[in-house]
Amino acid sequence: GKNGFVQLPSAWYAGFSLSFEYFFTSDSGADGLGIVYWPCPTNAPLCADWSHSWEGLSEYMVDSGGLGWSLSEWQGLSQLAHGGEVNEDTWNATAYAGAWHSLALTYDGALLSGAIDGTVVHNNSVSTAPVMHYWCIVVGARTGEANNEHSIRNLQLNAWN
C-alpha cells in the first residue's frame, strides 16, 4: 500500500483550523486518513509512523489525550477523539469517491469539528480542554491495496494562542 504522513512543527495552540484538499480514491481499498494533534515523542520516530491505522483513531488515540478526526473510506466511519474519548459516526464515503474535496478540522477551545466541502459531517463538544504543550499536528493516510493512493494539496494551518 501507499502509506504516509505530513507532520507540522510542534507548537502550542489554544485553537486551530487545519484545511486541505484531499482526493478520495474510492469507497473501498483506500482505508482512509487521520488528522491528529497530540504529544510529540522526545525521540525518533516522529509523531507519526508508517504503520498507523490512521482511519481508526480508537486504535491509537485513547491514551494520548490528544485531538483527532479520522475518515474511513472503506467503512464509512468518521471518528473524533478528544480527552481519551473516541466518538464515532457514519458518513457517506461513496458520495465523495473519485474527486478532490476540501477537508477541515477545527478546534475552537470548546468544539471539535470535521467538515467536507464546508459542510460539517461530525462535531463534538470538548468538555475537558487538553493540556497542550508543543504538540504536533499530523495528517496521515493508510491504504490496504497497492493500487490506491492518497493525495493532499493546499495544506493550510490557521492557529491561535
Side-chain angles (χ1 to χ4, degrees), residues 33-44:
L33 81 153
I35 306 165
V36 296
Y37 182 49
W38 61 359
C40 294
T42 56
N43 54 10

Side-chain angles (χ1 to χ4, degrees), residues 59-138:
E59 295 180 29
Y60 61 91
M61 285 293 291
V62 175
D63 295 330
S64 78
L67 303 171
W69 179 39
S70 69
L71 291 171
S72 172
E73 295 171 48
W74 70 283
Q75 293 178 320
L77 293 176
S78 170
Q79 294 181 336
L80 284 174
H82 56 86
E85 298 177 24
V86 177
N87 176 269
E88 191 170 89
D89 201 357
T90 58
W91 70 289
N92 185 359
T94 306
Y96 300 98
W100 287 95
H101 295 277
S102 297
L103 273 67
L105 175 66
T106 303
Y107 173 65
D108 66 5
L111 185 68
L112 183 66
S113 61
I116 302 175
D117 295 332
T119 301
V120 174
V121 295
H122 199 167
N123 65 26
N124 206 344
S125 58
V126 178
S127 57
T128 304
V131 178
M132 300 176 280
H133 299 286
Y134 296 98
W135 284 9
C136 299
I137 292 181
V138 182

